[in-house]
């Protein structure tokens, strides 16, 4: 096995080798893949408190909480770091633990793990397997996931901006998850030894049902800092809001990936791109999120708007809740039904607004989910923070503007 020592027999029966979640488009905390339907993230007590007392009406708009798992660092003989999860009794999603390591496709993906080398500072490498091996392994499964995984071996450069602070358009996999994973492994390895156990939350993988998951991560509300923020952090977050669409619209783009049918790749944007957008730039990027390179996905507008309106109705009824720094995901499948596609037009570009309208009217599956509740506060929370009255008007302001912009796009404005 190149660059990786095999798991010990005892570990292979009980431990799960965590993988970077390749569909993470925003946030700063590393999201890890636990199994096909489950992701995990470092446990924050305030977020756990939220999930444990989640109002029934909000459950359809949040990932399912699946329990807690213990995670520890493991260093192989070459000094590479990996994260191993040991399921605890609280975990409710342990269905594939015994079979996970034995599955050949999973094993090959585990071999192509992300590794942080302790000998080279922040440099990270991906063990490279040939295109033939990976294609053979995944060609009979989800094609979108095969695309992402095969592309990974060719793109190991770091994110983000060039010397002029311009962000080039990405046309392959979304690199943000790797960026977060690098930072997370570095933090863990510098602060803790291998024996230290870390608690992670197990949550539903809300994009697992999509072949080509198109994801828009929106930072909601006019205020982003939590009640526990230091004065320095508070000032920093207030400035970010004032200089972005958070202040003017109550929402800003925190990350995006959208599948482009004409190229077979994902177009990706990160939070730095989103912070620089004007209100008009936000509208154009929202339109871009719904454009697959051939045409505007008008079939998505009505179901997304209806789902956002349903969420708005729920949020208006949640007295005392403040969703500071939380995000809203809008998700749809980039794979269309055949009757829903329009002829290929290679001259169209993502940023153009003259995308043609598809002939079909079938509604594709869409989803809207709230995530990231580390700074959410509410009456009865186990964390001692300010208690507020009434609903979160900053969040409501953002939802109302988001709905209005989508309705304008639907009406051709």
């Amino acid at each position: 096995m190149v660059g990786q020592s095999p798991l010990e027999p005892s570990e292979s029966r009980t431990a799960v080798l965590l993988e970077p979640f390749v569909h993470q488009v925003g946030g700063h905390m590393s999201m890890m893949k636990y199994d096909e339907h489950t992701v995990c993230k470092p446990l924050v007590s305030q977020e756990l408190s939220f999930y444990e007392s989640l109002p029934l009406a909000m459950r359809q708009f949040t990932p399912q909480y699946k329990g807690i798992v213990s995670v520890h660092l493991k260093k192989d003989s070459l000094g590479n770091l990996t994260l191993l999860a040991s399921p605890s009794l609280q975990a409710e999603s342990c269905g594939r633990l015994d079979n996970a390591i034995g599955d050949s496709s999973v094993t090959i993906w585990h071999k192509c793990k992300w590794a942080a080398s302790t000998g080279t500072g922040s440099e990270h490498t991906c063990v490279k397997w040939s295109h033939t091996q990976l294609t053979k392994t995944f060609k009979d499964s989800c094609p979108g996931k095969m695309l992402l995984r095969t592309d990974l071996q060719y793109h190991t450069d770091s994110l983000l901006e060039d010397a002029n602070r311009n962000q080039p358009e990405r046309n392959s996999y979304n690199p943000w998850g790797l960026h977060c994973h690098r930072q997370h492994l570095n933090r863990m390895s510098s602060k803790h030894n291998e024996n230290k156990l870390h608690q992670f939350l197990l949550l539903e993988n809300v994009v697992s049902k999509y072949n080509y998951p198109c994801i828009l991560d929106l930072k909601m509300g006019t205020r982003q800092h939590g009640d526990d923020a230091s004065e320095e952090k508070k000032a920093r977050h207030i400035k970010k809001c004032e200089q972005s669409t958070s202040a003017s619209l109550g929402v800003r783009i925190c990350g995006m990936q959208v599948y482009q049918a004409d190229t077979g790749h994902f177009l990706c944007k990160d939070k730095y791109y989103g912070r620089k957008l004007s209100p008009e730039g936000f509208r154009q990027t929202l339109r871009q999120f719904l454009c697959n390179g051939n045409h505007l996905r008008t079939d998505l507008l009505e179901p997304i708007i209806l789902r956002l309106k349903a969420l708005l109705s729920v949020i208006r009824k949640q007295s005392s809740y403040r969703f500071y720094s939380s995000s809203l995901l809008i998700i749809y499948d980039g794979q269309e039904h055949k009757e829903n596609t329009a002829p290929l037009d290679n001259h169209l570009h993502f940023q153009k607004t003259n995308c043609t309208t598809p002939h079909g009217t079938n509604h594709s599956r869409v989803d809207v989910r709230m995530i990231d509740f580390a700074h959410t506060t509410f009456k009865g929370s186990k964390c001692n923070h300010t208690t507020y009255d009434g609903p979160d008007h900053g969040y409501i302001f953002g939802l109302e503007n988001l709905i209005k912009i989508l309705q304008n796009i639907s009406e051709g404005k």
Side-chain angles (χ1 to χ4, degrees):
M1 189 179 299
V2 179
Q4 179 182 353
S5 59
L7 293 175
E8 297 298 326
S10 60
E11 290 176 338
S12 66
R13 289 194 300 270
T14 60
V16 174
L17 182 58
L18 299 180
E19 309 164 12
F21 182 55
V22 295
H23 295 303
Q24 179 175 353
V25 303
H28 66 276
M29 193 174 284
S30 179
M31 187 73 67
M32 307 296 294
K33 177 183 172 184
Y34 181 81
D35 65 27
E36 200 62 38
H37 302 287
T38 311
V39 295
C40 61
K41 63 186 294 190
L43 187 151
V44 176
S45 59
Q46 200 163 339
E47 185 164 34
L48 176 61
S49 177
F50 171 82
Y51 278 112
E52 287 179 336
S53 56
L54 185 64
L56 184 62
M58 290 188 64
R59 290 184 184 176
Q60 63 171 309
F61 296 106
T62 58
Q64 179 192 356
Y65 166 59
K66 296 188 173 187
I68 299 171
V69 69
S70 295
V71 174
H72 69 277
L73 280 169
K74 182 175 177 61
K75 188 183 299 182
D76 66 16
S77 58
L78 297 178
N80 294 320
L81 296 171
T82 54
L83 290 175
L84 290 176
S86 304
S88 65
L89 293 176
Q90 299 113 302
E92 299 169 11
S93 177
C94 303
R96 74 182 261 280
L97 298 187
D98 293 331
N99 298 323
I101 305 300
D103 182 270
S104 60
S105 63
V106 174
T107 303
I108 285 187
W109 176 230
H110 283 171
K111 289 174 183 175
C112 188
K113 66 175 172 41
W114 301 110
S117 174
T118 56
T120 56
S122 61
E123 290 300 313
H124 294 246
T125 59
C126 177
V127 180
K128 295 185 180 180
W129 289 79
S130 71
H131 185 277
T132 305
Q133 284 177 293
L134 285 169
T135 302
K136 182 179 180 182
T137 302
F138 294 111
K139 69 179 181 180
D140 296 323
S141 61
C142 299
K145 292 171 185 175
M146 181 189 77
L147 167 71
L148 285 168
R149 290 173 177 179
T150 53
D151 277 353
L152 287 174
Q153 64 181 314
Y154 302 117
H155 299 273
T156 56
D157 56 325
S158 60
L159 246 189
L160 301 171
E161 298 176 341
D162 60 22
N164 297 319
R165 298 187 64 78
N166 294 316
Q167 185 184 9
E169 288 189 350
R170 295 274 169 170
N171 63 356
S172 57
Y173 75 97
N174 194 320
W176 189 256
L178 175 57
H179 170 70
C180 294
H181 186 58
R182 287 172 171 174
Q183 292 185 326
H184 187 215
L185 277 182
N186 285 337
R187 283 195 301 267
M188 289 183 72
S189 61
S190 63
K191 292 181 180 179
H192 308 289
N193 60 35
E194 288 188 56
N195 297 322
K196 169 74 173 176
L197 286 179
H198 306 264
Q199 297 295 296
F200 276 47
L201 287 178
L202 290 170
L203 299 168
E204 173 191 4
N205 175 3
V206 296
V207 304
S208 62
K209 63 184 177 182
Y210 301 104
N211 290 322
Y212 297 85
C214 300
I215 308 165
L216 184 65
D217 185 325
L218 298 168
K219 188 74 75 173
M220 300 298 296
T222 52
R223 169 180 156 176
Q224 299 304 324
H225 62 276
D227 290 333
D228 58 342
S230 65
E231 288 302 314
E232 184 273 333
K233 187 174 183 180
K234 179 180 176 180
R236 191 169 69 245
H237 280 282
I238 289 174
K239 185 176 181 180
K240 286 178 186 176
C241 288
E242 290 175 345
Q243 295 178 341
S244 69
T245 56
S246 290
S248 56
L249 297 176
V251 54
R252 75 170 183 259
I253 289 170
C254 199
M256 180 177 87
Q257 70 176 37
V258 53
Y259 181 70
Q260 302 298 293
D262 59 342
T263 63
H265 294 299
F266 286 90
L267 170 70
C268 303
K269 300 291 185 183
D270 64 26
K271 66 180 182 181
Y272 301 108
Y273 173 85
R275 283 180 195 169
K276 294 184 287 189
L277 292 174
S278 64
E280 180 56 30
F282 177 90
R283 294 182 181 91
Q284 292 300 329
T285 304
L286 196 57
R287 186 183 179 91
Q288 185 180 41
F289 173 66
L290 298 168
C291 189
N292 70 358
N294 297 329
H295 56 254
L296 186 68
R297 293 288 304 275
T298 53
D299 59 302
L300 302 171
L301 286 161
E302 182 182 355
I304 290 175
I305 291 169
L306 288 174
R307 184 116 171 112
L308 289 171
K309 285 182 174 180
L311 173 60
L312 178 59
S313 177
V314 169
I315 296 296
R316 282 174 171 161
K317 298 173 184 176
Q318 303 308 313
S319 180
S320 84
Y321 277 84
R322 294 297 180 270
F323 302 100
Y324 299 137
S325 199
S326 73
S327 284
L328 185 68
L329 300 182
I330 299 178
I331 312 163
Y332 70 89
D333 200 332
Q335 187 175 53
E336 293 183 271
H337 296 293
K338 288 184 179 178
E339 63 270 23
N340 224 28
T341 58
L344 179 68
D345 183 353
N346 288 324
H347 299 291
L348 287 178
H349 191 265
F350 308 117
Q351 300 244 358
K352 289 185 178 180
T353 58
N354 61 340
C355 291
T356 58
T357 300
H359 303 298
T361 57
N362 283 358
H363 285 178
S364 299
R365 290 183 303 171
V366 303
D367 206 352
V368 171
R369 300 291 185 107
M370 301 172 71
I371 60 167
D372 296 342
F373 304 103
H375 300 286
T376 294
T377 181
F378 55 96
K379 187 177 180 180
S381 170
K382 295 177 183 177
C383 303
N384 295 320
H385 296 296
T386 306
T387 300
Y388 299 91
D389 292 323
D392 189 334
H393 291 290
Y395 200 104
I396 290 170
F397 177 64
L399 270 179
E400 289 175 337
N401 281 319
L402 183 59
I403 291 168
K404 190 181 303 181
I405 293 168
L406 288 169
Q407 287 175 330
N408 288 339
I409 293 174
S410 180
E411 295 166 4
K413 295 180 181 177

